Amino acid sequence: MLDVVRKALLAGLGALTLTKERAESLVDELVKKGEMSKEDASKIVSELLEKSKEQREVVSDTIKTEFHRIRNDFGFVTRKEYEALEARIVKIEEKLGISTPPEVVIDADLSPKEDKESESGQP
């Protein structure tokens, strides 16, 4: 009986979003209805919270793994890798006596040119 209750609560609540208060509330309702004893209730709450924590960890690990896989599949570099390459380029430029060009600032105004021209009255 307890195993069925455990599974039903985990499935119904969504193990990832289960809070202690919510688990206690649901189990208290079962106790009030006489479907569970108080001793079983505290045991079930502890088990439900532990399962919820395990599920969150599994999901977190899965997300991290997939993120790294996608990053590698697309060939993206990490910030650390980018900064290391940038530092190497600076050293090479210094050895070659090349001055680093000023930082490029990209104009964030993406409106079409004709809108700018019509506003200024120039073709």
Side-chain angles (χ1 to χ4, degrees):
M1 165 73 175
L2 293 178
D3 193 44
V4 172
V5 171
R6 218 177 275 116
K7 288 179 182 177
L9 286 173
L10 282 172
L13 293 176
L16 297 175
T17 60
L18 183 64
T19 63
K20 182 178 181 184
E21 293 78 20
R22 182 74 176 135
E24 288 172 345
S25 171
L26 289 167
V27 172
D28 285 346
E29 287 180 33
L30 293 173
V31 171
K32 286 178 188 175
K33 292 179 183 177
E35 296 179 21
M36 181 182 295
S37 70
K38 287 187 178 190
E39 296 81 34
D40 291 338
S42 63
K43 182 179 175 184
I44 292 284
V45 168
S46 296
E47 289 176 14
L48 289 172
L49 293 174
E50 183 59 32
K51 289 286 184 192
S52 177
K53 180 181 175 187
E54 290 170 8
Q55 289 298 313
R56 282 192 306 272
E57 290 170 358
V58 167
V59 169
S60 178
D61 290 345
T62 301
I63 289 170
K64 287 176 187 175
T65 300
E66 284 302 302
F67 176 79
H68 291 297
R69 184 189 61 78
I70 290 169
R71 187 189 72 206
N72 290 334
D73 286 353
F74 284 102
F76 296 140
V77 296
T78 65
R79 179 171 304 279
K80 186 176 181 179
E81 292 168 331
Y82 175 83
E83 289 171 353
L85 287 171
E86 193 172 40
R88 286 180 63 194
I89 291 169
V90 168
K91 286 180 183 178
I92 292 169
E93 288 175 338
E94 287 172 356
K95 286 182 180 180
L96 296 174
I98 301 172
S99 63
T100 306
E103 288 188 31
V104 176
V105 177
I106 299 174
D107 185 9
D109 184 7
L110 301 177
S111 60
K113 287 184 180 182
E114 55 195 42
D115 286 348
K116 288 182 183 176
E117 292 170 354
S118 63
E119 290 174 6
S120 65
Q122 298 176 358

